[in-house]
Amino acid sequence: MTTKEHDSSVYEQAQGSEQFQELKRRFRAWTFPMTAAFLTWYLLYVILSGWARDLMSVKVLGNINVALILGLLQFVSTFWIAWAYSRHAEKKLDPIADEIRHEAESRNA
């Protein structure tokens, strides 16, 4: 067996493992709902900006209006999602990925 064939069989074994399937399940269980929630939030902002101009132009404090606050909250939510994903990956994904990598490395050695 050539090195290339051996490498691909190690990857195929890793992909077929229960651990890899669990890793994919955990990744998708967090990522898909969070992506849907963020896209909904973003589209709401776009829709309000286009069709609810009276609401978006309401002044909250001085020249700061609802549109500006919601726009800034888009940035805040983006950074929060990145931080939350980092925590999720560190606790729920990285340990399984490390196990899969160590098993693959031991098979490849």
Side-chain angles (χ1 to χ4, degrees):
M1 183 183 307
T2 68
T3 303
K4 187 175 183 177
E5 290 170 344
H6 179 69
D7 286 346
S8 66
S9 70
V10 168
Y11 294 126
E12 289 168 359
Q13 288 173 357
Q15 283 182 327
S17 73
E18 293 275 334
Q19 287 176 314
F20 188 79
Q21 298 308 314
E22 177 64 14
L23 179 64
K24 285 184 0 181
R25 186 196 66 72
R26 288 182 183 193
F27 173 79
R28 290 176 179 159
W30 196 92
T31 307
F32 289 174
M34 191 58 67
T35 300
F38 180 77
L39 288 176
T40 301
W41 158 234
Y42 175 73
L43 288 174
L44 175 66
Y45 177 73
V46 171
I47 290 167
L48 289 174
S49 294
W51 287 281
R53 292 185 179 195
D54 291 339
L55 170 68
M56 296 297 267
S57 65
V58 170
K59 300 218 182 214
V60 177
L61 183 67
N63 285 330
I64 299 172
N65 61 16
V66 172
L68 181 60
I69 292 171
L70 292 180
L72 291 173
L73 286 174
Q74 289 286 320
F75 288 100
V76 171
S77 63
T78 300
F79 288 112
W80 178 83
I81 289 169
W83 172 81
Y85 177 76
S86 174
R87 275 190 77 187
H88 170 73
E90 185 180 336
K91 291 180 179 180
K92 304 285 187 181
L93 304 179
D94 291 350
I96 296 173
D98 289 342
E99 287 179 37
I100 294 169
R101 186 182 73 246
H102 290 301
E103 286 179 19
E105 288 173 349
S106 66
R107 284 188 199 132
N108 207 15

